[in-house]
Amino acid sequence: MELHVRYEGDDDPKKCSARKLARFDLAELHRATRSTPPGIVCNPFAEQALSPADAVGSGARHDRLVALDCSWETAEREAFDLQGVHRSLPFLVAGNPVNYGTPFQLNTVEAFAGALCILGERAHAEDILAKFSWGHTFLELNEEPLERYADCADSTEVVAVQDDYLVED
């Protein structure tokens, strides 16, 4: 699956996971919305959760994932005006040093890795995370939910699994 990033460039370049993916030819950066190809857009504001039903081969048309790389401080609904099928990632926690343990605050490589695992491309997720010293931590922290999400049939089931992690006793 191709990985494409609409790159804003407003984060510290030394900590930018999208730039590092591009350096290793694991993702393509796009400086403008127009030049960003359509795909499955990882959008935290999307109304529908990503599920295995979005995987190519299950009737889905897109063989690429698209993410917006910007600072969480500047991330707004309007910034995700990208072509494609917009999907939100379910509950996952960050494993990166900046947002470690924070739910839903993933950096770009974590968003891609989480999406790839849900779409049944775990080996691809491991490959991109291997470029980061903390990459294995993301998979370790999210092992159970990622496996459960990947076993779901559709978005409704993914949201039901997510509720197991969000509902307080």
Side-chain angles (χ1 to χ4, degrees):
M1 181 165 267
E2 295 176 18
L3 305 179
H4 292 266
V5 179
R6 168 62 182 94
Y7 179 68
E8 290 286 325
D10 56 359
D11 277 338
D12 181 346
K14 294 176 185 166
K15 296 178 184 174
C16 180
S17 64
R19 287 173 59 110
K20 188 168 186 174
L21 289 175
R23 277 198 311 274
F24 285 100
D25 290 324
L26 296 171
E28 188 173 336
L29 300 184
H30 304 274
R31 294 281 184 168
T33 300
R34 272 183 312 168
S35 66
T36 308
I40 299 171
V41 179
C42 298
N43 179 347
F45 303 107
E47 293 182 17
Q48 188 171 342
L50 182 72
S51 78
D54 293 308
V56 175
S58 61
R61 297 182 316 249
H62 295 290
D63 61 350
R64 64 177 73 98
L65 282 173
V66 179
L68 171 66
D69 185 273
C70 67
S71 167
W72 275 104
E73 285 77 38
T74 60
E76 295 178 9
R77 198 172 295 269
E78 296 76 29
F80 289 88
D81 187 24
L82 297 166
Q83 290 184 2
V85 177
H86 289 243
R87 297 289 187 263
S88 60
L89 289 173
F91 173 85
L92 295 168
V93 296
N96 70 74
V98 175
N99 289 321
Y100 179 83
T102 306
F104 298 107
Q105 296 255 327
L106 310 180
N107 65 18
T108 302
V109 71
E110 290 172 320
F112 278 147
L116 288 166
C117 286
I118 292 167
L119 296 172
E121 297 198 19
R122 170 86 183 209
H124 192 174
E126 291 172 357
D127 287 347
I128 63 173
L129 286 169
K131 300 299 182 192
F132 300 84
S133 60
W134 49 263
H136 64 93
T137 304
F138 174 76
L139 291 175
E140 290 167 8
L141 288 172
N142 296 291
E143 187 70 36
E144 179 185 312
L146 284 171
E147 284 180 14
R148 290 182 68 198
Y149 297 142
D151 287 339
C152 293
D154 58 26
S155 181
T156 302
E157 287 186 18
V158 167
V159 171
V161 169
Q162 173 184 259
D163 287 346
D164 290 347
Y165 299 100
L166 298 179
V167 174
E168 296 181 29
D169 291 330

